[in-house]
Amino acid sequence: MFEAIAFYLFAFLTIVMFFITVTTAQALYALTSLAAGMIFISAFFFILGADFLGAVQIVVYSGAVMALYAFGMMFFDTTRDVKEKKGNSLIIFGLSTLAAFLVVVIFVAPMVTDNITAFYPIIEGVGNTQEVGVVLFTKYLIPFEVAAVMLLVAMVAGIVLAGKKMDLSLTEMSDAEIRDMREEKNKKVLS
Amino acid sequence: MEIGLNHYLVLSAILFAIGLIGVMRRKNLLMLFFATEILLNSVNISFAAISHYYGDLTGQMFAFFVIAIAASEVAVGLGLLIVWHKSHNNIDLEQMSTMRG
């Protein structure tokens, strides 16, 4: 009973939050409602008994990813309203619904036909974190290491891309220096 | 009122549809990234639900890797976005349709 109440409550909240994210014209509203939706999603993981996944969801999404987005938004002009694509909303709605139903079919189809047996069964009486650790470091060790390398590559790429001219600080430079820099940049653009 | 696997799959499908609507109607690239996050999260819900209802940990493992991919996608995407914004002063999708090299 409590599970049902929690499920419907968090389902409603998540859908509302994500709906705000995709429909609002303000970037800041979108960011905050997305963060709230991420935290509500972690509630589903806790209901489903995937405690470690829920904790990772909170740490990674509302911690790292949201901080990164907030940091990135400082570079962009977020006070300006976001312009929208002028498309036929009926087509968009129809295609989205069709795609979502396809996803359901993809998920449901093999389960109806096949008798599924668990590959790495969940053991009763053992904590979720312990189980996840054992499986992750035995059966999924190589994907885990590859994911670590991928994160390292992403970090290096992020630093290289965003860190250009980070050694220049506009607040510490004199006005003449800033003007010189701007003129040089304009020359580059014009040429 | 037993909550079954289908409840979670339907919820996941609804969230996926919301994300798809976002991907199709947004022109601002930052908003597009938000919509892709919604897509990845909706898939994570169904992974965790299947993992729970079939007593198998594989679904949770895949959810972890999806989270790792989402994190690195954000890092690289925001880096590229910042570079684009520095040179063109906007992040509209329509101005990126031609690659001038």
Side-chain angles (χ1 to χ4, degrees):
Chain A
M1 185 61 197
F2 282 118
E3 195 196 350
I5 293 172
F7 175 81
Y8 285 116
L9 176 68
F10 283 113
F12 175 73
L13 283 173
T14 316
I15 289 170
V16 168
M17 284 302 155
F18 283 163
F19 192 73
I20 291 172
T21 304
V22 296
T23 50
T24 183
Q26 296 251 341
L28 267 176
Y29 289 172
L31 182 76
T32 42
S33 62
L34 184 66
M38 299 293 182
I39 291 178
F40 291 142
I41 277 185
S42 79
F44 291 117
F45 294 155
F46 289 125
I47 295 171
L48 288 167
D51 301 343
F52 191 67
L53 190 60
V56 165
Q57 169 87 10
I58 291 180
V59 169
V60 172
Y61 272 111
S62 28
V65 172
M66 282 307 131
L68 211 58
Y69 275 133
F71 174 74
M73 274 169 67
M74 292 176 200
F75 283 91
F76 314 127
D77 186 12
T78 51
T79 52
R80 186 176 50 187
D81 272 10
V82 182
K83 275 179 272 170
E84 300 300 343
K85 238 184 256 180
K86 293 278 187 294
N88 191 340
S89 60
L90 204 67
I91 290 176
I92 288 174
F93 187 76
L95 281 176
S96 312
T97 318
L98 185 71
F101 272 115
L102 276 179
V103 172
V104 174
V105 168
I106 288 166
F107 273 125
V108 172
M111 291 175 203
V112 176
T113 53
D114 275 344
N115 217 349
I116 289 182
T117 52
F119 228 38
Y120 305 116
I122 293 174
I123 309 150
E124 290 295 324
V126 183
N128 176 256
T129 312
Q130 200 176 346
E131 284 175 327
V132 165
V134 167
V135 175
L136 194 62
F137 284 104
T138 52
K139 303 291 181 189
Y140 287 90
L141 186 60
I142 291 176
F144 180 72
E145 297 291 341
V146 171
V149 172
M150 184 188 68
L151 282 170
L152 182 70
V153 170
M155 188 187 76
V156 172
I159 293 171
V160 167
L161 286 171
K164 267 181 203 160
K165 291 190 181 170
M166 281 284 182
D167 51 330
L168 297 177
S169 168
L170 288 176
T171 51
E172 288 174 2
M173 288 157 69
S174 65
D175 288 346
E177 278 177 323
I178 294 175
R179 217 174 300 129
D180 287 347
M181 198 183 75
R182 293 248 163 90
E183 275 166 15
E184 204 174 313
K185 196 181 164 190
N186 284 344
K187 260 183 225 159
K188 261 187 209 161
V189 171
L190 289 177
S191 61
Chain B
M1 267 220 309
E2 190 72 18
I3 299 295
L5 178 57
N6 286 340
H7 286 74
Y8 283 99
L9 289 181
V10 167
L11 172 74
S12 168
I14 290 171
L15 292 182
F16 199 85
I18 291 175
L20 272 181
I21 291 171
V23 166
M24 282 192 265
R25 74 186 283 268
R26 286 299 194 190
K27 208 166 70 173
N28 187 309
L29 256 192
L30 197 66
M31 297 300 184
L32 209 70
F33 278 160
F34 289 172
T36 48
E37 297 296 329
I38 296 173
L39 292 181
L40 291 169
N41 265 289
S42 73
V43 174
N44 270 356
I45 289 179
S46 51
F47 272 143
I50 289 168
S51 161
H52 179 252
Y53 283 101
Y54 285 89
D56 194 340
L57 277 174
T58 315
Q60 294 182 28
M61 296 299 130
F62 271 90
F64 283 124
F65 294 125
V66 168
I67 288 179
I69 287 170
S72 44
E73 174 245 329
V74 169
V76 177
L78 267 181
L80 287 170
L81 219 56
I82 288 170
V83 170
W84 181 268
H85 188 264
K86 269 180 186 167
S87 59
H88 290 79
N89 218 14
N90 64 24
I91 43 173
D92 281 352
L93 198 60
E94 283 178 354
Q95 310 219 343
M96 296 184 198
S97 51
T98 54
M99 299 174 93
R100 294 177 208 82

